[in-house]
Amino acid sequence: MRNITMYSKPGCVQCRATARGFAKAGVAIDIIDVSTDPAAAAMLTDWGYLSVPVIVTPDGQRWAGHRPDRITDAARAAFQTHAQLSV
């Protein structure tokens, strides 16, 4: 199962809040630091994002910023997918 990916950078308050939201929901995320990964930073720019966090879900949904509503929806989808794979 692919994890949710969060593009982040050091000192980003919204990134920390987003990571905490996923942790509180019990969802593992992969964190990519765009300050040390120029290819990732260029990809975000190509997608039209100029700030972090940017979240990418396994089904391809993307959003920017700390969005508790989207975190809840993504966590719910991750658990449903996991449950379906476990059957």
Side-chain angles (χ1 to χ4, degrees):
M1 177 172 78
R2 288 182 44 215
N3 285 341
I4 293 168
T5 302
M6 179 176 76
Y7 294 90
S8 180
K9 66 180 180 180
C12 171
V13 175
Q14 289 191 20
C15 299
R16 285 194 306 269
T18 299
R20 277 194 311 269
F22 279 114
K24 184 177 177 182
V27 175
I29 62 171
D30 295 324
I31 300 174
I32 297 175
D33 182 348
V34 297
S35 71
T36 61
D37 188 334
M43 180 179 67
L44 295 184
T45 301
D46 289 346
W47 287 346
Y49 295 107
L50 302 177
S51 63
V52 290
V54 172
I55 310 304
V56 181
T57 64
D59 64 358
Q61 293 183 50
R62 300 189 298 236
W63 74 86
H66 177 60
R67 296 281 309 273
D69 58 324
R70 300 291 301 263
I71 292 168
T72 300
D73 292 344
R76 186 176 303 117
F79 285 121
Q80 287 173 348
T81 300
H82 181 70
Q84 291 171 352
L85 294 174
S86 297
V87 174

